[in-house]
Amino acid sequence: MAQSVQPLVKPAEQLAKRDALLARLRTIYDSKEILTESAQLAPFESDALTAFHETALAAVFPRTTEEIAATVRACYELDVPFLARGSGTSLSGGSLPIPGGLLIVLSKMNKILEIDLENLRMVVQPGVVNIWVSREVAAHGLYYSPDPSSQIVCTIGGNIAFNSGGAHCLKYGMTSNHILGMKVVLPDGEIVDIGGKSLESPGMDLCGLMVGSEGLLGIATEITLRLMPKPESVKTVLASYDQLEKAGQAVGDVIGSGLLPVALEIMDRLAIDAAEAAVHAGYPPDAQALLIVELDGPAAEVAPQFETLIETLRRSGASKLVIPATEAERARIWKGRKAAFSAVGRISPDYLVQDGVVPRNKLGRALREIERLSQVYGLRVANVFHAGDGNLHPLVLFDNRVPGQLQKAEQLAGEILKMCVDLGGSITGEHGIGVEKLPYMTYQFDESDMSMMYAIRNSFDPKGLSNRGKMLPSQNPERPSPHGPHPLEREGVIQRF
Amino acid sequence: MPTPFTYTRSDLPTTTPQSVAETASVIREAATAGRAVLIRGGGTKWSLGHQPKQEAVVLCTGSLTGIIEYEPGELTFTARAGTPLVEVESALAANGQYLPFDPPFASAGATLGGTIAAGLSGPRRMRYGGLRDFVIGVEFVSADGLTVHGGGKVVKNAAGYDLPKLFCGSLGTLGVLTQVSFKVFPMPQAHRTLLAGLDSAPAVQSALLAIQRSPLEVSAADAWPAGVIADIPDLGKGYVLAVQMDGVEPSLSPRLDRLRGLLPSGTPTALLEGDPESALWSALRDVAWLGESGAVLRLYLPPNRLADLDARLQEFAARRVYSIAGNAGWAVLSGDPARLAPALEKLGVRASVWRGGGDGAEILPALPGSALVKRIKRAFDPREVFYPGRFAAG
C-alpha cells in the first residue's frame, strides 16, 4: 500500500473548497461516477513511474466532451487543479495525481466515433486503447502506425499528451505525425476544434502544439487519426556483434547506404541476458550486442533493398545474421526486444528506466560514457535503444535494500541525461518530462526558452491548474520512493517502451 | 523569376539585419516605437495573408543565411532561416539526400524560414509527410527581442512544447525565425510517372482513393481537368491523373503495372520519365499555371469530397489542380473568393486565400480554432509587434 502525502488534517479552507467542488460535480455526474474515498482513489495513486505516489482529492469518470468542459469550468472557478488520465502508463509521472487536485479519468470515453475507410481516418475518444485502432481496421488492410510498447493498454489520449513513439518512428514518425485533428477542452472549459481530415491544414499547426504538451494546454476529447495501408512486405534481420561499438557503427553504415529502415534497434549483453531469461527469444548466446533492422514497403521495393541491407551488415562486421523465415520467428525476435525492460527485473531487484536522445553519430561516444559512469557509480546499466533515432533507453540496475543505492542510481541516470544534452541531444525522446525530468528541463532549455513556454502556459491557463506540476519546473512535488515495476508490468502485461 | 505570390511592396521601409543580435535590436526598436514588423524571406509567398495598411517595417532575412551543421549520417541539418532552398537542396543532393516534403519556389529564391512560415509543402510530400513532419528545431527572436529555441537538432524529441510545428503556417506572427533544423531522408534512387486520362471528377476521386488505400506507397498523385497544365500528352478530354512512383529501379515497373490495375480498364495511360517528368512535377509544385490574375485558393479537403468540390469549382469557372491524392489543391478564379465560403463550408472543405482576398477573410470558412490562435498570439506577441491580423487570427 502506497503511503499518502496528503496532510492528515486539512485546513478549513481546503475542506470548504473540496465540498464546493463535490457539490458542483454532483450536478454533472451520478454519485457512483465520483470517487472520494481514499480506498477508491488508491488505484490511481501512481502511473508507470511507480516511485511516485499522490492521492487525488477526487476522481470523476466523464462520458462526453460537455461533461469534461463542465468539470473543468468548475475546477477553474474554484481554483482546483485537475488532470486527465488514461491508463496511467506514463513513464515520467505525467499522470501522477496532483495533491488536492481532481482526477478526470477517461476510461469511459473509450468509443470509436467514426471509421472513415474512404479517407483513411478514424475519429476516437481519448480513452480508446492504442492497439484497438489497428485491430479495428486490420481486416481492411489498414493500421495505425505509432506503436509504443505499452500499446495494449495505453490510450490515444495519453499518446497525444506525451507524443509517444515506439519502434517504428524512423520511417513513419511519432504520434504527432499521425494526428490530423482534435476537439479540445481548454483549461478554462472552452471547447475548440482544430485540424481536420485532410493531411494538410491552413494556419499555424495547432495540433502540432497540442501533441506532446503533457496535458498542460487542455484535454483532447475527439481525435482524428491517420490510418495507413499495412505494408505489403516486412523483412527483418537480427545481426550479432562481438562488440557493442560495432553495432553502433553498423547503424551509421545502414543509414549511409541510402536505406530507410522502419526500425533499427540495439540491445547490449545485459539486456540480451535479461530478455533470454524472461522470454527465451533464442538470441545468439555469444553476442555482445544485437542489432535488429526492419524494412517495410511494397514487396518489389523491399526485396532488393533487403539484399543491400544484408550486404551492408555483412561488411559491418556482424558475427552472425539471423533472417527469420516465418512470421512466428520474426515475432520471437521482437518479443525479446519488447520484453527487455520488464525482463531486467529478472537480473536486478530494482531498476530505473531512462529515455534520452543523442545524435546518431554520437551513439558510440554515448555508450562509452554510459559504461564509464556505470563503473564510477558501481551500478550495472543495461542498454536497449531505438538506435535509428538515437533514442537511448539505459536501464540503471540497483538494489533498493542497499541504503543509498536508489540515490546513486538516480544520480547516475541524471548524469546520462545531461550527457545527452551535452552531445547535442534531448532529455526525452518519447516518455516526456512529467515530474521525473523536471530537474533537467533547464539543463536543456535556457531562460528565454523557458519563459516562452511559461508564457504559452499562462495564456492558456492563467491559474496553472491543468496538470499542475508537470513538464514545467515550477511546483515540483516531493519525490517519494521506492522504485519498482508497475503491477501490470510485474504481470508481464505491459512493457516499458 | 516571379511566383504567383511574389513580393510587390517596394513602398514599405525595409531593414536587413546582419545577425541575430541586429534582428533583436530591430524588433526591440519597433516594439518601442509601436511599429509593426512584417518578415520577408525570399518574397516568393508574400501575397498570402493581409497586406499592411498601418505604418510597418519589413524585416528581410536575406543576410541570415548559410548552413551551420550538416552531417549526412545524421539525416539532419541546421541552417540560418534566410538560407535559400537551392543552397540546401544542392548540399543535400551532393550526399544523396533530399527534403521529402517537396518545398515550392526554390528556383524563385524561397528560403527555409519562409517555407516554414507559409506552411507549404509540394505534391511529392505524399509518401513521407509534409513540412510539419520534417521541421525539428527552431530558433527565433521573440517580440521581447529574446533569442528563443524550441525543439532541437535530433530526430526524436519530446521535451517541451513542439514550437517547430507551431511555427509551420504562422506567417511571421509569432517571431522572427533565425535558425532552423530539419530532418532529411535518403533520395530515392529512381522515379517514374504514370499519366492517365479519366472521364470525370468522380472517376478521379475513385482512382485517388484506391491509390491512397493501396500499399504501393506512391510519392505523388495529382489530377486536373485536361488543358490546365501545358505540354501533357493528349489522354482524352476529361481529367489527367499524374502519379509518381519512386524507389529502387527494379521496383518501379512492377509497381506501375499494379497501379494501372487500380484504374478502370481501357484507361489511356502514358509513362513519363527524365526531363519531361521533372518538368511536370516542377510545374505542379511551383504552380506557374495559376497565372497573374484572379484570386488564388489553396484547398484542404477530405479526399472523398473531391468530386463534389470539383462540381462547385466548375460552377465558379475556377481553374484547378488537386494534389496529395485529393487532400489538397489549388484553384484560381475571378472575383471575390469569399463567394465560395458557403459551398466550402457545406462540403467540409477549407481554403486559404493566397492571392486576391482583398480585405476579406484569409481562411474560408473561418478557422474554428481561432480562439486558440488568439491565446497563442497573446503568449508570443502581447505587444503586437508582428503585424497583428496578418494571418489566421495571428
Side-chain angles (χ1 to χ4, degrees):
Chain A
M1 177 74 200
Q3 78 187 71
S4 171
V5 295
Q6 291 259 59
L8 289 174
V9 184
K10 296 186 183 74
E13 194 188 330
Q14 185 80 15
L15 275 173
K17 195 190 261 189
R18 179 179 182 272
D19 291 346
L21 179 72
L22 292 176
R24 282 287 291 275
L25 293 175
R26 283 188 207 106
T27 67
I28 306 168
Y29 299 94
D30 284 349
S31 56
K32 64 177 188 302
E33 287 170 334
I34 307 173
L35 304 184
T36 54
E37 301 303 319
S38 55
Q40 296 172 312
L41 294 168
F44 303 103
E45 282 176 352
S46 276
D47 54 21
L49 185 70
T50 41
F52 295 75
H53 305 267
E54 295 289 357
T55 308
L57 181 72
V60 291
F61 297 80
R63 291 169 196 273
T64 65
T65 300
E66 290 66 33
E67 285 179 357
I68 291 180
T71 306
V72 163
R73 272 196 297 275
C75 288
Y76 204 77
E77 284 163 30
L78 296 165
D79 275 336
V80 177
F82 59 89
L83 123 83
R85 176 188 159 112
S87 294
T89 56
S90 170
L91 283 162
S92 56
S95 47
L96 183 75
I98 307 160
L102 180 69
L103 203 55
I104 302 173
V105 184
L106 299 176
S107 55
K108 289 185 176 166
M109 290 195 66
N110 60 356
K111 309 284 179 301
I112 291 175
L113 301 174
E114 186 192 351
I115 301 173
D116 181 349
L117 294 174
E118 275 199 322
N119 291 316
L120 308 187
R121 310 287 180 252
M122 191 185 288
V123 183
V124 301
Q125 290 187 323
V128 162
V129 170
N130 176 294
I131 194 85
W132 297 357
V133 177
S134 287
R135 279 189 190 151
E136 191 69 29
V137 292
H140 301 281
L142 303 174
Y143 80 116
Y144 175 66
S145 167
D147 64 340
S149 286
S150 56
Q151 72 178 142
I152 60 165
V153 282
C154 68
T155 64
I156 297 295
N159 293 172
I160 287 178
F162 295 95
N163 193 13
S164 305
H168 296 86
C169 298
L170 185 56
K171 181 174 173 187
Y172 296 116
M174 332 222 334
T175 295
S176 193
N177 305 100
H178 299 268
I179 303 294
L180 299 177
M182 53 176 97
K183 189 184 281 298
V184 184
V185 175
L186 299 180
D188 54 8
E190 186 175 350
I191 301 169
V192 295
D193 287 288
I194 59 177
K197 278 191 176 176
S198 172
L199 288 175
E200 297 268 304
S201 61
M204 52 181 86
D205 186 355
L206 301 176
C207 282
L209 175 68
M210 297 306 297
V211 177
S213 60
E214 304 201 8
L216 268 65
L217 302 181
I219 302 172
T221 62
E222 289 180 18
I223 302 122
T224 304
L225 309 174
R226 177 189 189 190
L227 306 173
M228 300 201 301
K230 271 192 252 178
E232 187 176 63
S233 168
V234 180
K235 290 270 209 179
T236 309
V237 56
L238 178 76
S240 21
Y241 293 87
D242 54 15
Q243 286 171 20
L244 181 56
E245 195 137 5
K246 279 191 193 165
Q249 185 54 43
V251 171
D253 296 344
V254 172
I255 298 284
S257 70
L259 296 171
L260 187 63
V262 68
L264 254 172
E265 305 280 310
I266 289 182
M267 296 168 73
D268 73 0
R269 184 66 246 170
L270 213 46
I272 299 167
D273 285 343
E276 278 300 315
V279 301
H280 311 292
Y283 292 149
D286 51 346
Q288 288 307 305
L290 290 179
L291 174 64
I292 303 171
V293 191
E294 193 161 281
L295 296 174
D296 78 4
E301 195 178 15
V302 171
Q305 287 181 334
F306 196 65
E307 284 173 28
T308 307
L309 173 63
I310 297 301
E311 186 50 37
T312 307
L313 292 176
R314 285 225 168 87
R315 277 203 308 264
S316 72
S319 51
K320 190 174 177 197
L321 296 180
V322 179
I323 301 168
T326 63
E327 181 52 35
E329 284 178 37
R330 179 180 159 259
R332 203 158 83 137
I333 289 177
W334 275 110
K335 190 177 178 195
R337 164 64 185 77
K338 291 207 169 191
F341 271 28
S342 49
V344 166
R346 305 268 181 145
I347 59 168
S348 172
D350 302 280
Y351 59 97
L352 287 180
V353 178
Q354 262 316 338
D355 167 43
V357 186
V358 296
R360 264 182 288 253
N361 62 1
K362 303 219 167 94
L363 272 176
R365 231 173 106 183
L367 292 172
R368 278 198 302 276
E369 179 63 11
I370 291 173
E371 175 59 29
R372 190 189 68 81
L373 288 167
S374 164
Q375 280 171 15
V376 169
Y377 281 82
L379 294 174
R380 293 181 298 166
V381 180
N383 286 291
V384 183
F385 47 96
H386 308 303
D389 304 315
N391 189 183
L392 308 166
H393 287 301
L395 295 127
V396 182
L397 313 189
F398 67 100
D399 185 346
N400 201 40
R401 291 165 304 189
V402 181
Q405 271 217 346
L406 167 65
Q407 289 69 24
K408 263 169 91 175
E410 285 185 326
Q411 258 177 26
L412 168 50
E415 289 215 36
I416 293 174
L417 291 182
K418 288 181 175 174
M419 170 203 76
C420 288
V421 176
D422 293 342
L423 291 176
S426 173
I427 55 176
T428 171
E430 54 186 1
H431 296 174
I433 303 298
V435 292
E436 191 208 15
K437 294 183 177 188
L438 282 171
Y440 307 102
M441 266 302 259
T442 52
Y443 195 79
Q444 181 165 345
F445 294 105
D446 68 21
E447 205 177 316
S448 310
D449 307 343
M450 293 305 300
S451 71
M452 185 54 76
M453 287 192 241
Y454 287 119
I456 297 170
R457 160 71 150 177
N458 291 338
S459 185
F460 275 71
D461 183 2
K463 294 182 174 179
L465 299 176
S466 192
N467 212 4
R468 170 180 286 177
K470 315 292 168 58
M471 194 174 105
L472 295 177
S474 47
Q475 292 118 341
N476 194 351
E478 293 300 307
R479 305 187 64 187
S481 278
H483 287 260
H486 188 275
L488 280 173
E489 194 179 14
R490 203 176 284 130
E491 291 161 27
V493 177
I494 59 169
Q495 291 94 39
R496 292 237 170 177
F497 73 121
Chain B
M1 187 180 28
T3 75
F5 317 115
T6 289
Y7 179 74
T8 50
R9 295 297 300 270
S10 49
D11 57 313
L12 297 170
T14 298
T15 175
T16 306
Q18 300 299 307
S19 64
V20 175
E22 272 187 46
T23 307
S25 328
V26 171
I27 296 303
R28 277 193 292 263
E29 281 163 27
T32 310
R35 222 177 12 244
V37 175
L38 287 114
I39 305 152
R40 183 196 155 184
T44 58
K45 297 174 281 286
W46 182 264
S47 63
L48 175 64
H50 283 146
Q51 297 302 305
K53 292 205 170 51
Q54 68 185 78
E55 193 194 343
V57 60
V58 174
L59 188 159
C60 181
T61 59
S63 291
L64 303 174
T65 59
I67 295 169
I68 296 166
E69 265 182 71
Y70 170 43
E71 286 189 50
E74 213 48 53
L75 292 181
T76 59
F77 72 88
T78 297
R80 291 187 187 86
T83 309
L85 288 174
V86 278
E87 186 179 333
V88 172
E89 287 177 343
S90 72
L92 293 176
N95 290 283
Q97 298 179 348
Y98 78 132
L99 296 168
F101 57 93
D102 195 21
F105 311 131
S107 57
T111 64
L112 290 171
T115 298
I116 294 175
L120 188 62
S121 304
R124 283 177 295 172
R125 62 82 85 206
M126 185 159 166
R127 186 169 189 185
Y128 294 117
L131 167 80
R132 72 182 298 268
D133 302 307
F134 288 87
V135 188
I136 56 173
V138 290
E139 176 196 272
F140 60 98
V141 170
S142 72
D144 298 328
L146 299 174
T147 307
V148 180
H149 303 86
K153 293 175 178 176
V154 282
V155 296
K156 202 170 180 186
N157 187 355
Y161 296 121
D162 196 341
L163 302 187
K165 284 199 179 61
L166 184 65
F167 266 78
C168 293
S170 64
L171 206 68
T173 57
L174 301 179
V176 188
L177 288 173
T178 50
Q179 189 177 305
V180 294
S181 298
F182 281 87
K183 169 170 118 168
V184 300
F185 275 172
M187 195 186 287
Q189 213 179 73
H191 47 76
R192 210 161 300 153
T193 294
L194 182 78
L195 294 173
L198 294 165
D199 291 339
S200 64
V204 168
Q205 178 178 307
S206 304
L208 290 174
L209 292 177
I211 289 165
Q212 184 160 249
R213 185 73 179 272
S214 79
L216 291 173
E217 297 194 19
V218 308
S219 48
D222 281 22
W224 58 90
V228 173
I229 304 293
D231 303 326
I232 291 300
D234 184 18
L235 294 162
K237 292 197 169 23
Y239 290 74
V240 181
L241 175 68
V243 183
Q244 189 182 55
M245 204 76 93
D246 65 23
V248 290
E249 176 63 43
S251 81
L252 296 183
S253 283
R255 286 160 72 203
L256 285 162
D257 286 343
R258 289 178 54 194
L259 179 62
R260 280 192 201 91
L262 296 174
L263 303 172
S265 62
T267 300
T269 61
L271 276 181
L272 213 52
E273 50 195 335
D275 290 344
E277 185 194 13
S278 302
L280 171 65
W281 290 106
S282 297
L284 290 166
R285 184 191 57 217
D286 295 340
V287 293
W289 62 270
L290 288 168
E292 286 171 18
S293 63
V296 173
L297 299 179
R298 173 76 168 160
L299 304 157
Y300 309 87
L301 56 147
N304 69 348
R305 291 301 160 88
L306 185 148
D308 290 338
L309 173 64
D310 194 68
R312 297 289 88 74
L313 291 174
Q314 191 157 12
E315 284 165 24
F316 286 93
R319 297 169 73 228
R320 64 245 180 228
V321 170
Y322 302 98
S323 196
I324 322 168
N327 277 276
W330 289 104
V332 54
L333 68 165
S334 54
D336 183 359
R339 305 179 284 148
L340 257 75
L344 296 177
E345 174 120 58
K346 216 169 149 190
L347 290 170
V349 174
R350 217 164 282 283
S352 48
V353 181
W354 274 66
R355 189 178 75 195
D359 290 337
E362 64 283 17
I363 293 184
L364 305 170
L367 208 59
S370 62
L372 212 145
V373 175
K374 289 201 175 83
R375 292 177 197 231
I376 293 166
K377 179 74 174 170
R378 205 159 59 221
F380 279 82
D381 189 16
R383 289 194 286 176
E384 305 201 322
V385 181
F386 300 113
Y387 205 87
R390 170 106 163 106
F391 187 61

